[in-house]
Structure formats: structure tokens, C-alpha cells
Amino acid sequence: AMDLAGAFNKFYKSVPVIGSDKEDLRLLIVDEARITIKNSLELMGIDAPESMWAAHFHPLIFFNANL
């Protein structure tokens, strides 16, 4: 979980997400990382903060990702 969180942090700091020409795909990456980190924490018996679980959007619904 720590490695994934670190890798995601590095990605998010170095790659533009909002406003990028690849915004749809990058929003999917953000959402999948959020879910994976939350699930990893749960497997270790650690509750994820509600703000982490309650996404303000769901890219599969609001965006048409060009994978």
C-alpha cells in the first residue's frame, strides 16, 4: 500500500490530470489508484478516511475514456 501510494503521489505531482489532452484516461488512473489503496488498507485492517472512499466523481460514468 505504501509503495502504491508513493508511486501515485509521484504520478499526480508530475503529470497534469485536469485539463490534459489525456484527462479521461488519467482520471481513470486516479480513481483506480484510490480504490486499490483503499482496498489495500482494508486488507491490513486499516480504515480509509471516508473522504478517500467517497469520490466526488466516477470517471466511468462522467467521462468517455479513450483507452
Side-chain angles (χ1 to χ4, degrees), residues 4-63:
L4 177 58
F8 173 75
N9 187 43
K10 185 176 179 180
F11 162 79
Y12 197 78
K13 283 182 165 183
S14 65
V15 177
V17 175
I18 304 299
S20 164
D21 60 339
K22 297 180 181 179
E23 181 175 322
D24 296 347
L25 176 60
R26 291 177 181 170
L27 285 172
L28 283 172
I29 293 169
V30 168
D31 197 44
E32 292 302 319
R34 176 187 62 82
I35 292 168
T36 303
I37 292 168
K38 179 197 176 287
N39 290 341
S40 297
L41 291 172
E42 282 184 353
L43 287 171
M44 294 186 293
I46 302 170
D47 290 329
E50 181 63 28
S51 60
M52 182 178 184
W53 181 238
H56 299 287
F57 64 90
H58 195 289
L60 294 176
I61 296 171
F62 295 107
F63 303 97

